[in-house]
Amino acid sequence: MNAKRADRIATWVFWVLGSITVGILAFIILEVLGRGLTTALNPRFLFGKPEAMTAGGGIFPMIVSTLYLVVLTIIIALPISVGAAIYMAEFARKGRLNNLIRFCLDSLATLPSIVFGLFGLALFVTAFHWSYCLMAGAFTLAILNLPILLRSTEEAIKLVPDTYREASMSLGASRWTTIRQIVIPSAMPGIITATILPIGRIVGESAAIIYTVGVFIRNVPVNPFDTAAPLAGYIWATQAEPGVPDWKSIVNGGAALLLIMVFVIYFLARWAGNRYQKKKLLG
Amino acid sequence: MSARGGGAAGVLRAKAAAFADREYWVRLVMFACAAISILAILVIFVFIFRESLPAIRDVGIGNLFFSTNYNPQTGHYGMLGFIWGTLLTTFGAMVLGAPLGIGTAIFLDQIAPERTARVVRRGIELLAGIPSVVIGWFGLILLVPFLARVTGTAGYGVFAAVLVLVVMALPTITTLSAETLKSLPPELEEASVAMGATRWQTIYKVLLPSAREGLLIAVILGMGRAIGETMAVQMVIGNSRGITFSLFGRTSTLTTRMVTEMAEASGVHRSALFAMALVLLLLAVLLILVIRFVSRERKPAA
């Protein structure tokens, strides 16, 4: 076989591989939306209370649970990530300690989410006697999301040009003043963008929360120590042990809604990222 | 310890100055934030280990980790069958997912026109964000019935799990492989093309060998995702307790067994499930160690 012909065949093969990947994605999205979109956009489903035995239940408390969980998790995880990212970007020197921190972050990032779930169950739910609640899930997810949140925050801080720091320090500002008044404000849009992708992960997470937050509620959770039922976990539980006659339509609608939520978050992240980059170029 | 400070008093004064210094405290707080990652992994390990101790003590290491006899009703908790299930599905997912992911990365880096590549890249990022319950549900209502019709089996089983895992691991493998290819110096490709090599020869003989370690890391991290994936696999693998060597046999992985039984488990049974989490924890750390090793190998060459 001559080289030209091999090249043509290879090109063709790579086009096929690329198309398979795109095809899988398109197929999943179209199927899930096609099956569930009409249910997902039905106001009675969106704003209704779930039923335990009869058909016609909604998922409003589950949507609230998911959003509540997102807010709590970010409140816990963001300050820690920003602090740690500042340390890694501004203070840390290369060495054993730095290596150890990176190693632990990498290990945390590879740890299966069900392991986080069991850990949360053992520590927050059982040892702390919190029982199943939003707070237990939020702490679990905060640890789960720490590595990616830290990494993207650190990148945002590193993107702040060194000339900013030098200018500030040459005016006599201390290291901390420079960080607080120059570095963090300049990195802020990047830090905000950095939180959006973990939010998508929190919305979609199910394995880490079914044994920390809970899988079924009838009323909207108010207190952070209330049992709740984020959407992803509820979908899983509904298909695992169908209790209502219309469980299939609930799962279809819930899956479509979950997909829409994740997509909205993704495009928000893209939009914020683009805006941030444009500002950087102009500024 | 300056010589001028004059002995112990000088040292004390220097320390007092350091304590008064706000910078010192700020630094300490920031370091504490960073050290939370070390603390977290330690606490996770301690708690998972503590919870799995009763099973290790009562059942014994041999009967717990190296036996395939699993039956909570009779007090048998051998998890080897599920370790095998995890390895089998992960291996299958890599056999299909690694060529597809690396192939897509090459397509993005070398072959696709700029605009097509950008759209495909966005699509893959989107795919990475699809929640695992959604992919599992897709597998349950479409893939399983389809496999059942084509193969004449129940549809549930190892192969359905493998296909679901390919979808889950694909974004990781593709994104990281594409990054590796992009980070190669352009001179490599230019030199090869200048010598008269075709695009395929350049890819096959120059780019792939130079990117070897990076691609390996991409596949290992893809494996990490496949090993840890829980919900999507649980929905399609059939959840039987037996070990299987068939592509269409029903079985369980470590993660699916944990999630299926945790709700009604107590005592030694619950502890055995924590022991499975311990195995997964050690596997995750092992994968990171392997990656460290691979990337250290890479450095002298660069």
Side-chain angles (χ1 to χ4, degrees), chain B residues 32-106:
Chain B
C33 289
I36 282 181
S37 60
I38 306 177
L39 186 72
I41 206 101
L42 275 179
V43 172
I44 291 175
F45 179 78
V46 166
F47 262 83
I48 302 273
F49 185 69
R50 210 188 68 168
E51 296 282 328
S52 56
L53 263 184
I56 295 174
R57 215 180 303 123
D58 282 20
V59 184
I61 289 181
N63 284 333
L64 186 62
F65 297 108
F66 302 107
S67 153
T68 57
N69 185 1
Y70 186 90
N71 190 349
Q73 276 94 35
T74 59
H76 292 90
Y77 297 102
M79 65 171 83
L80 193 62
F82 311 138
I83 297 179
W84 169 251
T86 295
L87 295 180
L88 185 65
T89 48
T90 304
F91 178 74
M94 289 307 114
V95 166
L96 294 177
L100 186 57
I102 295 174
T104 306
I106 293 172

Side-chain angles (χ1 to χ4, degrees), chain A residues 53-131:
Chain A
M53 312 295 262
T54 54
I59 51 164
F60 189 61
M62 283 70 191
I63 300 175
V64 176
S65 300
T66 296
L67 299 178
Y68 207 155
L69 188 65
V70 165
V71 172
L72 282 179
T73 308
I74 294 296
I75 289 176
I76 297 165
L78 192 59
I80 297 173
S81 308
V82 172
I86 290 173
Y87 178 79
M88 299 303 274
E90 302 277 326
F91 292 115
R93 268 167 301 197
K94 277 191 179 158
R96 285 235 178 106
L97 188 64
N98 196 11
N99 248 336
L100 180 67
I101 292 176
R102 295 263 178 228
F103 179 79
C104 291
L105 284 171
D106 286 348
S107 302
L108 277 181
T110 342
L111 212 54
S113 53
I114 182 70
V115 176
F116 283 97
L118 256 61
F119 161 72
L121 174 69
L123 181 64
F124 303 119
V125 177
T126 313
F128 285 6
H129 299 292
W130 287 359
S131 118

Side-chain angles (χ1 to χ4, degrees), chain A residues 7 11 14-15 21 25 31 84 87 97 106 110-111 123 174-176 206 211 236 251-252 262 266 270, chain B residues 23 26 31 33 47 104 107 111 122-123 125-126 129 137 142 199-200 231 234 259 262-263 281 288 292:
Chain A
D7 188 56
T11 305
F14 284 121
W15 270 100
T21 302
L25 170 77
E31 270 298 331
Y87 178 79
L97 188 64
D106 286 348
T110 342
L111 212 54
L123 181 64
S174 69
R175 196 96 180 256
W176 170 233
S206 42
Y211 294 123
W236 180 80
V251 176
N252 274 328
V262 170
Y266 172 81
R270 278 237 77 94
Chain B
E23 301 266 308
V26 165
F31 172 71
C33 289
F47 262 83
T104 306
F107 173 74
I111 290 170
R122 297 267 157 91
E125 284 170 13
L126 217 53
W137 178 239
L142 267 151
R199 188 159 62 183
W200 168 238
M231 299 316 212
Q234 197 268 351
V259 88
M262 200 63 211
L281 180 75
I288 295 301
R292 291 265 150 144

Side-chain angles (χ1 to χ4, degrees), chain B residues 155-220:
Chain B
Y156 294 95
V158 175
F159 192 63
V162 164
L163 291 181
V164 161
L165 286 178
V166 168
V167 177
M168 304 297 297
L170 194 57
T172 311
I173 300 177
T174 309
T175 315
L176 292 172
S177 303
E179 260 170 41
T180 305
L181 290 172
K182 213 175 158 191
S183 70
L184 292 177
E187 291 86 1
L188 278 179
E189 193 190 332
E190 286 159 13
S192 168
V193 174
M195 299 278 284
T198 64
R199 188 159 62 183
W200 168 238
Q201 284 168 332
T202 305
I203 292 169
Y204 180 63
K205 295 205 167 136
V206 179
L207 298 182
L208 284 182
S210 339
R212 204 178 50 210
E213 286 85 0
L215 299 180
L216 187 60
I217 290 175
V219 174
I220 295 173

